[in-house]
Amino acid sequence: MSRNSFRTSTGRSVTAVTADEMRDVDRVVVEDVGLQLLQMMENAGRILAWHVRDVRESDVVVVAGNGGNGGGGLTCARHLANRDVPVRVVLDRPPEELSGAAAHQRRILDEMNVPVTSGVESLADADGRTTIVDALIGYGLSGNLRPPADKYISRMSDLFGPTVSLDVPSGIDATTGEPLGEVVAPDRTVTLALPKTGLDVHTGKLYLADISIPRTVYDRLNLEYEPPFGDDDWVRLEQ
């Protein structure tokens, strides 16, 4: 697909990046510029929570993995709980197996008494009004889906409530858009910093969130970039 195939509602072209290029962005922003993962995660979770509130009809279940994507989902759960939204988290592993930033966010939820469980069976009571937050797998997925992620995605796909994916819908290759097994089909996707080249399919409505990465990061990587956000924290994207 074209490198500048995404546009804002005002017609501004937005550079799309491959998964490898996004890894370079994350590396430069943390190692060279000094912006920390928890800072970017806070922005991602807060904006994701706004979009969840925009579509929700009843309770919310955040389905989360480890790493940055799962941590963003857990942060979203905190922001929802802070606004008295009934929310719980279902992890793809026992809570004690989380690491890094995701483990940090889980400890905060524990202090808030936000329910955090694990196992596909924890989704059994989600009904047609339950909003699902897909924070299972980020842009780094490569190769065919492996258990237990495939079971979580299959269960999410069986539910009929609104679904919002963080960054990329779980189950797709972020670079090519190719399904790598079961794929979440969200009503909307909130992608982070820059759109990924594979987000021309499976996304529902697509939004781009500002997680505060400064322009110097893109300049250092020779990525064409014009800030698309104006005075807003996110923008709608179209192909």
Side-chain angles (χ1 to χ4, degrees):
M1 67 188 296
S2 168
R3 171 51 57 96
N4 288 313
S5 60
F6 293 94
R7 294 184 178 277
T8 68
S9 58
T10 60
R12 174 170 289 179
S13 181
V14 182
T15 296
V17 290
T18 66
D20 284 343
E21 288 171 328
M22 194 64 215
R23 288 188 191 93
D24 288 338
V25 170
D26 284 341
R27 174 182 54 79
V28 170
V29 74
V30 173
E31 296 180 7
D32 297 347
V33 175
L35 193 64
Q36 297 302 306
L37 176 59
L38 286 173
Q39 294 172 279
M40 294 182 287
M41 189 176 288
E42 190 68 24
N43 288 319
R46 175 177 52 81
I47 292 172
L48 178 62
W50 187 96
H51 285 275
V52 172
R53 297 199 312 275
D54 194 45
V55 302
R56 84 171 185 98
E57 300 172 354
S58 181
D59 62 313
V60 177
V61 176
V62 177
V63 181
N66 204 6
N69 202 255
L74 294 169
T75 306
C76 169
R78 168 163 49 84
H79 282 282
L80 292 172
N82 283 344
R83 288 160 178 78
D84 295 324
V85 174
V87 59
R88 59 191 175 94
V89 175
V90 175
L91 300 173
D92 69 344
R93 65 200 69 204
E96 62 271 15
E97 292 184 9
L98 292 177
S99 60
H104 175 85
Q105 300 296 345
R106 192 267 297 177
R107 287 191 293 271
I108 298 172
L109 293 179
D110 285 349
E111 295 295 331
M112 297 171 63
N113 295 317
V114 173
V116 179
T117 59
S118 62
V120 174
E121 64 277 4
S122 296
L123 292 171
D125 60 347
D127 61 28
R129 298 184 66 210
T130 299
T131 298
I132 300 297
V133 179
D134 164 31
L136 187 61
I137 305 173
Y139 66 76
L141 179 64
S142 62
N144 292 333
L145 277 172
R146 295 180 296 275
D150 55 345
K151 294 181 175 61
Y152 284 85
I153 293 174
S154 178
R155 176 56 182 154
M156 283 190 278
S157 298
D158 289 340
L159 299 173
F160 296 103
T163 300
V164 182
S165 287
L166 176 60
D167 204 25
V168 298
S170 292
I172 72 165
D173 185 304
T175 297
T176 67
E178 176 187 1
L180 299 175
E182 295 272 0
V183 176
V184 173
D187 296 278
R188 67 176 67 180
T189 298
V190 180
T191 196
L192 306 176
L194 288 174
K196 317 311 178 281
T197 54
L199 290 179
D200 57 342
V201 292
H202 305 297
T203 64
K205 294 179 180 179
L206 180 61
Y207 295 84
L208 179 66
D210 180 7
I211 58 172
S212 76
I213 294 179
R215 181 170 184 162
T216 185
V217 173
Y218 306 119
D219 291 343
R220 295 182 191 196
L221 292 167
N222 295 316
L223 291 171
E224 183 179 345
Y225 182 77
E226 288 294 331
F229 299 105
D231 294 329
D232 300 314
D233 291 326
W234 65 87
V235 290
R236 174 80 183 272
L237 293 182
E238 301 169 352
Q239 283 93 34

